[in-house]
Amino acid sequence: MSTTNPAPAGSTEALNAARAAPLPDWFPPWAHQLADAYFARTASVFVLHGNVHDLVAARTAGGWNYVSAAEFLGTQLFGGWDVVLGHDLGRGLKPLAGSSQTRLLGMMQYLTARWGEPAGWPREPEKVFALLDQLVERLLLDDPADRKSLAVVFEYAQYLAPAGDPANSSVQAASRLVRLLHWAQNPHIRRQNIAFCLIADRLAEVSNRLVENPYVATIEIPLPDESRRRQFIESAAAGDDLSQRTDFTRDELAKMSNGLSLVNLNVVISEAIHARRRIDAARFRQLKKSMIERQCRDLVEFVEPTYTLDLVVGYEEAKKRLRQDAEWILRGRTEAAPMGYLICGPVGTGKTFLAECYAGSIGIPCVVLRNFRSKYVGETEGNLQQVLTVLRSLGPVVVIVDEADAALGNRRAEGDSGTSARVFSMIAAQMGDTRYRGKIIWMLLTSRPDLLPIDLKRQGRAEVHIPLMYPRKDAEIKAMFAAMARKNKLRIDPQAVPPVDASRRLTGADIESIVLAARRLCLAAGREEISGDDLRQALDDFVPSAQGLEKEMQEIAAVLECTQRSFLPEEYQQKLAQPDGVLHLQQRLVAIRQLMGEGVVS
C-alpha cells in the first residue's frame, strides 16, 4: 500500500500494481492483515483495537524510528497515497504527512483548493463527516487519470460510533454511524484507493452495528513479542551499556519484559539509563507488576508467589499431579499440560493458597482476576478484552478466578442486556484456545462447582477437577497446625498440638485463627514460644462456623466434580465404589439444596 508506482494513485491500475507488490517484511503482522483485507476488496473500513496507544517501529534511512499507530498508518502503510487525513474530537482534521514537507505541501494544496484555509475547516464531527462524504463523492466522479487516493484515520473512534442501542443514541451519533456504514458498504469505494481506519483501544466500546458489519474488518494490535521488544531495546539503549545499570543483558530484558508495551518498556530503559538507582531483579519485578496492573486498569492483581506445593498439607495425589504438570511446563512440554484446573471444596479449605503454591512451584507469575464488571454499556466486555490481551502476551501465567461460579456468569444470564452471556462467551473461547495450552493456565476456584456452567468445566477447558476437604486424620491436622505456624513465621512443636476431634471439621482458616490466638496468649503471658497449653486453650475457646449443612453440600458437590478418584479421601473413595454410590451422593445433594430453598439442580 505504501509502494510507489507510475500509475495514477487513485486508479484501478494503481490498486492492482500495489496488490502485486508485497509489503516490507518489517511491517508488523497487523499491517499485513489490513493490507490483505484491503487488496482483497473485502473491506475499506477498518477498526484497529487492542494495543493501539503503543509505539510502532518504522524503518528510516537513519535506522529505526518509533511512532504512534496513527503516524505509522499515515507515513508508512499509506505512505505513498496522495491524501492522508487524521481526525480526533480534540483537534479535528489534520494531514498526516510525517516529516515530509513536500508531501504535506501537496496535500494542503489539494485540500485548500476545495475546503479553503485550515482555520476554516469544521471541527464538529457531523460537519467533518459531511465534508469527507462530499470529498469521497467527488473522488468517485473524478477522471481516473486525475483521481487521488484518500485515507482517513479516526483516533478515539469509540467517541464517534459508541456502543449501545442505536435507538437510544443521539441523532448525531446515529448519523455518523450511518455514514461509516455507507462507506463500508459502497462497492465503488472498495474498488478505489479509499480507506478509513478507526482506532479504539477497546473494541467493545465501538458500535456493534459497525464492528459486526461484513464489510468492516476488525484487526487487533497485540502487545509486542520478544523479537520486537529486543529490537526496541537495541534502538532505545543505543550507545548505553545496560549491563552496567541493570542485572540483565539485553536478551534477558527482552525475554523478561513479556506482557509490557513498548511505552512501558521505555520507562524501564529510561530509568536504567538516567536514574541513579540500579535496576536489579526485585526492582524490575516491582516495575513490571505496577505497569501490568496499570495496563489492565487495576482489573487484575499481579502476584509472584513465594510459596510452593511443599507447604500444602495433605492432598498427596493432587500435589503429585500438580508437580508433574509443573515439571512438564518447565521443560516446555506444554502439549501434556492441562488447559486449566477446577479447584473446588468447602469454604476455608485453601483453594487460593493451593493455586498460588502451584504457580510458585512452576516459578511463573500469577494473576488474580478482579471484578471487571461495570454498569456502563460495553465497558465490562472492554475490560475483559483488555485483560485477555495482556494475558496472551504475558504467558506462561497462572490466572486465578476466585468465586468462579459468580464471576464468569453463564449463557442464560438475563437482565443485563446480554453482558453476562458475552462475558461468558469470551472467557469460554479463550479457555478453549489450544494455542495457549501451557501458556495461560486457568484455575477456577469455587465452593459451588455445581453452579459453574458445564461449558467451562468440560475437558479442553478446566480439565482437572481437584476437590479439597477438611483435614480428617490426626497427622494431617497436626501438619496443618505446623504449616500455618510457618506461614505466619511462628514455631510450634507438632507434638504440642492437642488431639482434635475430626468431627469439628476445622478448616485451614480455622486452624490459622487458632494458631494466631495461641500466639496472643503466649505474648500476653510474656513468652515467645507457643506452648501446648496455649494451643489447647485457643482450641477449646474457638467456635467454628455452624453452617454444617451448607458445608456438607459444598463437600458433596466437590466430590461429584472430581475427575480422578485418587484425589478423594478414603471414605469417599469407598462410597463411590459402592453400587449406586454416585446416585446416592447426587440424591443427598439435591435434598440439601431443597432444604436450603435452592431447588433441584438443573
Side-chain angles (χ1 to χ4, degrees):
M1 296 172 75
S2 60
T3 304
T4 304
N5 55 74
S11 68
T12 303
E13 290 78 7
L15 187 60
N16 292 331
R19 184 186 296 110
L23 293 183
D25 291 339
W26 57 265
F27 270 35
W30 62 263
H32 286 270
Q33 186 179 350
L34 189 154
D36 289 344
Y38 176 80
F39 288 136
R41 297 182 182 177
T42 58
S44 59
V45 175
F46 307 88
V47 180
L48 304 179
H49 63 97
N51 188 36
V52 297
H53 299 305
D54 203 5
L55 300 173
V56 184
R59 180 175 287 174
T60 63
W64 291 105
N65 186 29
Y66 285 84
V67 298
S68 67
E71 188 173 349
F72 179 86
L73 290 170
T75 61
Q76 301 296 323
L77 195 60
F78 299 111
W81 287 32
D82 299 313
V83 180
V84 183
L85 291 168
H87 174 271
D88 64 51
L89 289 176
R91 294 175 294 178
L93 285 168
K94 65 181 185 301
L96 295 179
S99 59
S100 173
Q101 294 296 320
T102 302
R103 190 163 177 243
L104 177 62
L105 180 61
M107 290 186 193
M108 292 305 299
Q109 288 176 341
Y110 178 80
L111 294 171
T112 53
R114 286 152 181 80
W115 294 348
E117 293 300 319
W121 294 359
R123 298 180 65 86
E124 299 84 352
E126 289 68 40
K127 293 182 179 179
V128 168
F129 272 61
L131 193 68
L132 291 173
D133 203 31
Q134 293 173 7
L135 179 60
V136 169
E137 290 182 1
R138 180 176 298 177
L139 288 174
L140 294 178
L141 294 174
D142 280 345
D143 185 273
D146 300 324
R147 187 175 295 151
K148 301 291 184 181
S149 53
L150 170 69
V152 185
V153 179
F154 297 100
E155 296 186 75
Y156 303 98
Q158 64 268 34
Y159 300 112
L160 295 174
D165 187 353
N168 297 327
S169 61
S170 66
V171 174
Q172 292 83 355
S175 173
R176 295 192 295 270
L177 176 60
V178 169
R179 285 189 188 274
L180 288 168
L181 291 173
H182 169 72
W183 292 337
Q185 294 165 183
N186 191 326
H188 302 291
I189 291 178
R190 291 199 302 277
R191 286 197 290 265
Q192 306 302 324
N193 276 351
I194 301 175
F196 304 92
C197 294
L198 289 82
I199 298 177
D201 53 351
R202 298 184 175 198
L203 187 64
E205 293 180 352
V206 181
S207 171
N208 284 339
R209 299 293 180 94
L210 185 66
V211 169
E212 296 173 359
N213 190 283
Y215 297 105
V216 175
T218 58
I219 299 171
E220 181 179 6
I221 300 181
L223 286 164
D225 59 17
E226 184 177 339
S227 64
R228 295 187 183 278
R229 295 194 302 270
R230 180 70 170 82
Q231 174 186 294
F232 178 77
I233 292 170
E234 289 287 350
S235 176
D240 290 288
D241 186 1
L242 288 181
S243 64
Q244 299 298 317
R245 300 177 182 273
T246 73
D247 287 352
F248 321 108
T249 65
R250 295 184 178 185
D251 288 335
E252 289 172 338
L253 187 59
K255 189 175 186 65
M256 295 170 58
S257 57
N258 58 327
L260 295 182
S261 65
L262 296 185
V263 169
N264 284 331
L265 183 55
N266 189 51
V267 172
V268 176
I269 296 171
S270 296
E271 181 166 328
I273 294 174
H274 301 296
R276 294 183 177 181
R277 180 178 177 181
R278 182 179 179 85
I279 296 184
D280 55 13
R283 177 58 179 161
F284 180 80
R285 286 197 302 268
Q286 180 186 0
L287 285 171
K288 184 174 180 179
K289 176 181 185 296
S290 62
M291 288 175 179
I292 287 179
E293 288 178 348
R294 190 165 61 247
Q295 276 181 206
C296 294
R297 306 188 186 187
D298 288 328
L299 301 172
V300 300
E301 179 185 357
F302 195 78
V303 179
E304 291 194 80
T306 56
Y307 306 123
T308 66
L309 289 169
D310 294 334
L311 197 59
V312 178
V313 175
Y315 316 121
E316 295 304 325
E317 288 298 321
K319 288 192 295 184
K320 180 180 177 182
R321 169 62 192 263
L322 290 171
R323 285 194 180 101
Q324 190 178 58
D325 291 344
E327 183 179 353
W328 282 334
I329 291 173
L330 285 172
R331 291 181 178 180
R333 301 302 303 268
T334 55
E335 74 278 3
M339 297 291 291
Y341 300 85
L342 172 60
I343 312 295
C344 50
V347 293
T349 49
K351 295 182 285 292
T352 303
F353 185 65
L354 177 67
E356 291 182 1
C357 287
Y358 173 65
S361 293
I362 309 177
I364 63 176
C366 179
V367 169
V368 179
L369 199 61
R370 289 179 174 172
N371 182 20
F372 51 83
R373 296 180 182 272
S374 170
K375 64 181 180 180
Y376 299 108
V377 174
E379 189 163 316
T380 295
E381 297 94 317
N383 288 342
L384 182 56
Q385 187 60 54
Q386 184 100 12
V387 170
L388 294 178
T389 297
V390 173
L391 292 180
R392 285 191 283 265
S393 174
L394 190 59
V397 61
V398 171
V399 183
I400 296 177
V401 186
D402 209 353
E403 303 296 341
D405 57 296
L408 303 183
N410 57 66
R411 295 189 188 279
R412 299 188 302 274
E414 298 176 355
D416 59 358
S417 301
T419 296
S420 291
R422 289 191 293 272
V423 165
F424 175 84
S425 178
M426 292 169 68
I427 289 283
Q430 182 61 62
M431 286 183 65
D433 192 337
T434 54
R435 292 176 299 172
Y436 297 95
R437 182 181 291 275
K439 298 178 182 178
I440 301 180
I441 304 153
W442 294 87
M443 302 203 83
L444 308 186
L445 316 183
T446 177
S447 58
R448 294 297 305 274
D450 52 313
L451 300 182
L452 196 67
I454 193 172
D455 309 57
L456 297 182
K457 56 188 180 182
R458 68 165 175 81
Q459 294 301 300
R461 288 186 176 138
E463 298 173 331
V464 180
H465 302 177
I466 300 176
L468 302 188
M469 306 291 174
Y470 301 126
R472 286 166 163 74
K473 298 178 181 178
D474 186 61
E476 289 181 348
I477 295 174
K478 288 185 176 182
M480 183 71 77
F481 270 91
M484 290 304 168
R486 289 199 306 273
K487 180 183 176 184
N488 291 279
K489 296 179 173 55
L490 303 173
R491 255 192 335 180
I492 61 172
D493 182 359
Q495 301 305 319
V497 178
V500 179
D501 185 359
S503 64
R504 294 185 67 176
R505 297 289 179 91
L506 294 179
T507 69
D510 292 340
I511 292 174
E512 183 174 18
S513 180
I514 292 169
V515 169
L516 294 176
R519 174 61 172 167
R520 288 193 294 272
L521 291 172
C522 167
L523 292 176
R527 290 180 283 105
E528 291 296 328
E529 186 94 12
I530 298 175
S531 67
D533 289 337
D534 295 328
L535 289 169
R536 187 176 296 104
Q537 184 178 344
L539 181 62
D540 292 341
D541 196 46
F542 181 75
V543 180
S545 169
Q547 304 298 322
L549 200 61
E550 186 169 355
K551 289 181 179 178
E552 182 186 357
M553 175 182 65
Q554 294 171 352
E555 190 169 281
I556 293 174
V559 171
L560 291 172
E561 287 293 343
C562 181
T563 54
Q564 190 171 322
R565 190 169 292 183
S566 59
F567 291 161
L568 294 169
E570 187 176 344
E571 64 178 273
Y572 277 114
Q573 291 188 38
Q574 292 175 356
K575 287 181 180 180
L576 292 177
Q578 296 174 2
D580 297 330
V582 173
L583 179 60
H584 291 155
L585 288 177
Q586 290 174 333
Q587 290 172 341
R588 178 59 179 164
L589 179 62
V590 170
I592 296 175
R593 291 193 62 169
Q594 289 175 334
L595 285 172
M596 298 184 66
E598 291 189 12
V600 181
V601 181
S602 58

